[in-house]
Amino acid sequence: AQTVTQSQPEMSVQEAETVTLSCTYDTSESDYYLFWYKQPPSRQMILVIRQEAYKQQNATENRFSVNFQKAAKSFSLKISDSQLGDAAMYFCAYRRNYGGSQGNLIFGKGTKLSVKP
Amino acid sequence: NAGVTQTPKFRVLKTGQSMTLLCAQDMNHEYMYWYRQDPGMGLRLIHYSVGEGTTAKGEVPDGYNVSRLKKQNFLLGLESAAPSQTSVYFCASLRALEGNQPQHFGDGTRLSIL
């Protein structure tokens, strides 16, 4: 069974600085998708960024980028120029490709990010 | 542009009571999911549906039942609530399995069982 591990329960960053959140996963599949979701205190689940396993290029969305290392099964999230609004719980999630999937996500336990002004 | 709507947003029950959580999506998505979120546990899949009239068990299905009589609705039932079911419940939908399409989440239901 696939598992997702987020080894940092809590992280803190100074406003305007850069922070990296770690995520590793375990799978025997070669085709899958990876996601980072943000959950602010409002409880909403907000998609931050996504990555296809077959793509070598790391995904980027404005201040958010990933470092996808397929061989190492690592999918870290880098937040540049951190803002107060980035403070939230961040979840890493895995999904098998459609050939063996029902579309459900497997989540890590989350990393709580605090941003200091 | 409602997306995924969960009803109610908050509820307190007594042990042994029953209730139904409603999830409605207006995006014509095929796939729907119920997750529960507990402190330090992330989100775990309870049940899911791959289309109207279908349901299947996820990782933590015990104590819950589901139904999907209409494509747009996915109901989660607790027949006899237990304190261990105190949690935040999220519904999500997915248009199709192909591609890296993300799941769309509702805003969650906070359920407390006393």
Side-chain angles (χ1 to χ4, degrees):
Chain A
Q2 295 83 13
T3 58
V4 176
T5 301
Q6 293 180 248
S7 59
Q8 306 150 317
E10 296 188 19
M11 292 281 286
S12 180
V13 64
Q14 204 73 31
E15 195 175 6
E17 297 295 311
T18 296
V19 64
T20 298
L21 308 184
S22 300
C23 173
T24 58
Y25 56 94
D26 186 23
T27 184
S28 58
E29 305 285 333
S30 60
D31 197 4
Y32 49 86
Y33 305 106
L34 297 164
F35 304 84
W36 278 99
Y37 279 88
K38 170 185 177 182
Q39 186 181 45
S42 66
R43 205 169 64 197
Q44 288 179 298
M45 292 291 287
I46 302 167
L47 177 69
V48 175
I49 201 165
R50 52 188 143 173
Q51 175 80 41
E52 299 91 331
Y54 62 84
K55 287 189 177 179
Q56 292 186 339
Q57 186 174 6
N58 290 323
T60 300
E61 290 285 346
N62 300 313
R63 297 183 295 107
F64 298 88
S65 61
V66 297
N67 183 6
F68 174 49
Q69 301 290 328
K70 191 172 183 179
K73 297 179 183 175
S74 173
F75 183 60
S76 60
L77 175 69
K78 185 172 81 172
I79 306 174
S80 304
D81 185 25
S82 297
Q83 301 176 358
L84 295 178
D86 295 333
M89 184 73 83
Y90 287 82
F91 290 100
C92 179
Y94 167 100
R95 194 184 94 206
R96 296 172 69 183
N97 193 12
Y98 69 91
S101 168
Q102 301 303 329
N104 58 289
L105 294 169
I106 299 169
F107 287 89
K109 294 183 178 181
T111 296
K112 184 177 182 180
L113 178 67
S114 302
V115 181
K116 298 178 180 178
Chain B
N1 191 14
V4 179
T5 303
Q6 291 184 232
T7 309
K9 296 191 185 307
F10 176 74
R11 185 75 182 269
V12 178
L13 289 178
K14 293 182 179 179
T15 298
Q17 286 185 318
S18 63
M19 80 160 296
T20 300
L21 305 184
L22 172 63
C23 176
Q25 53 96 1
D26 61 0
M27 298 172 284
N28 201 35
H29 284 181
E30 285 294 329
Y31 302 83
M32 297 187 74
Y33 308 87
W34 277 107
Y35 296 91
R36 61 178 287 174
Q37 182 181 15
D38 301 297
M41 295 295 293
L43 279 75
R44 293 180 293 168
L45 183 67
I46 305 172
H47 285 280
Y48 64 95
S49 169
V50 301
E52 181 179 312
T54 74
T55 63
K57 294 180 179 180
E59 179 186 356
V60 288
D62 293 343
Y64 305 95
N65 56 74
V66 288
S67 65
R68 188 150 178 222
L69 300 179
K70 293 183 179 181
K71 186 177 183 179
Q72 64 267 34
N73 296 335
F74 194 29
L75 279 62
L76 178 70
L78 287 72
E79 290 187 348
S80 180
S84 61
Q85 295 177 304
T86 293
S87 189
V88 178
Y89 292 86
F90 284 95
C91 176
S93 70
L94 178 69
R95 187 177 72 83
L97 295 180
E98 293 79 11
N100 67 348
Q101 299 183 53
Q103 291 190 4
H104 296 258
F105 285 85
D107 289 342
T109 296
R110 180 174 293 280
L111 185 60
S112 295
I113 315 297
L114 304 179

